Amino acid sequence: MGNLTKEQIEQLAEHCENAELQAYEITKITDDYPQMTYEDAFDIQWEIRRRKEARGHKIVGMKMGLTSWAKMSQMGVEHPCYGFLADYFSVPEGGEVKHDELIHPKIEAELAFVTKAPLKGPGVHIGDVLRATDFVLPAVEVIDSRYKDFKFDLKSVIADNSSSTRFFTGGRMADVGDLDLRNLGVVMEVNGEVVEVGAGAAVLGHPAASVAMLANMLGERGEELPAGSFVMVGAITAAVQVNKGDSFCVRYQDLGTISGRFV
């Protein structure tokens, strides 16, 4: 159950969204609302989503965050979170991100699943996800927590749309049956230097487990993942800070490359 009033949820949604739109830092909202529940945090996120849709933006996908056991322990959180992806978050492969529009961006190498059948929790498992998957694409997520110094707790980050801000997708699409998703290797370079390597198993042991968890978390709110959903499953590599002028290239085993620049 939630502890915040409808007015408080609307105020906090405006507060967090303004920080995103105008690129300024805020302090974590649980400092001011320690009584806040997870349900409140998701209510705030869904209110931000509603605000964007009311202004004419389309929601083009979903993302899972904090999906590595290492990242969960690093951030001191006990389970992953999700966020939504708005149309203006999408950057074409090889494209540019304006660094001044963001606060302290970092990039993560990910995989994205595109579905061909709906997934509705509870009880969704990896097999359901693989059966419902149309194809898999490589993706790079740009995360940008609105919280000062990237310091937050799980409730605060959920309310901040799980640090979502931009994403690149491209490379090659592939059938799930043709990929060894757990062992799929990724190499990230920034300015020509290898900064991170990883494999698909970094995402909850199997990338499809992340999509299953998302469907089950959405099911708790009576929501589903419709057919045709685009879902980024969470980081295969650690998040790497990027500065103005940096360029990156991520190479994915069997899925090509994604590159981009921060200007």
Side-chain angles (χ1 to χ4, degrees):
M1 282 294 292
N3 284 334
L4 300 184
T5 65
K6 188 170 180 291
E7 290 72 27
Q8 286 172 318
I9 282 162
E10 286 169 3
Q11 282 163 4
L12 285 166
E14 185 175 3
H15 173 66
C16 291
E17 196 198 18
N18 282 345
E20 177 238 321
L21 294 173
Q22 296 162 33
Y24 59 81
E25 294 183 325
I26 54 178
T27 53
K28 69 177 197 289
I29 57 177
T30 48
D31 292 351
D32 300 313
Y33 296 91
Q35 78 279 26
M36 216 176 109
T37 66
Y38 284 110
E39 191 175 331
D40 290 324
F42 278 116
D43 285 347
I44 293 165
Q45 182 189 123
W46 283 83
E47 174 61 16
I48 293 172
R49 177 178 173 146
R50 189 199 65 74
R51 288 169 63 87
K52 291 195 187 306
E53 288 179 316
R55 290 199 300 273
H57 287 297
K58 296 220 166 2
I59 305 306
V60 296
M62 297 291 290
K63 59 72 81 77
M64 286 288 280
L66 305 176
T67 47
S68 78
W69 306 116
K71 188 92 180 254
M72 282 189 260
S73 72
Q74 181 195 340
M75 304 313 289
V77 301
E78 51 284 0
H79 53 81
C81 53
Y82 64 76
F84 65 83
L85 303 170
D87 46 14
Y88 68 94
F89 292 6
S90 178
V91 185
E93 168 6 66
E96 296 179 344
V97 172
K98 292 189 174 73
H99 199 280
D100 291 346
E101 291 179 357
L102 308 177
I103 304 164
H104 37 212
K106 300 180 181 186
I107 55 171
E108 299 176 338
E110 307 208 4
L111 294 171
F113 283 60
V114 177
T115 62
K116 60 187 175 189
L119 287 164
K120 181 152 197 193
V124 174
H125 57 71
I126 290 176
D128 299 323
V129 172
L130 295 176
R131 191 171 57 238
T133 299
D134 195 5
F135 55 90
V136 176
L137 282 170
V140 170
E141 185 177 15
V142 184
I143 56 168
D144 190 29
S145 173
R146 269 55 72 168
Y147 296 116
K148 190 168 166 44
D149 305 326
F150 253 94
K151 288 194 170 60
F152 50 72
D153 53 22
L154 188 55
K155 290 172 192 166
S156 293
V157 80
I158 289 166
D160 183 37
N161 193 22
S162 298
S163 310
S164 308
T165 195
R166 300 285 184 270
F167 67 94
F168 293 78
T169 185
R172 291 201 288 274
M173 53 193 253
D175 195 75
V176 281
D178 296 337
L179 299 172
D180 179 358
L181 286 165
R182 293 198 60 211
N183 294 314
L184 191 141
V186 166
V187 178
M188 179 191 287
E189 295 176 4
V190 174
N191 302 331
E193 302 271 322
V194 173
V195 290
E196 287 291 333
V197 294
V203 181
L204 296 173
H206 190 297
S210 176
V211 183
M213 191 175 277
L214 173 60
N216 291 330
M217 289 170 83
L218 289 172
E220 289 170 21
R221 292 184 70 93
E223 303 279 350
E224 67 172 15
L225 270 179
S229 291
F230 173 87
V231 180
M232 293 198 300
V233 297
I236 292 173
T237 61
V240 174
Q241 187 174 337
V242 279
N243 301 306
K244 194 183 253 197
D246 284 350
S247 59
F248 71 86
C249 177
V250 185
R251 293 198 299 275
Y252 300 80
Q253 188 180 343
D254 304 324
L255 292 171
T257 64
I258 293 181
S259 60
R261 311 197 294 139
F262 286 77
V263 296

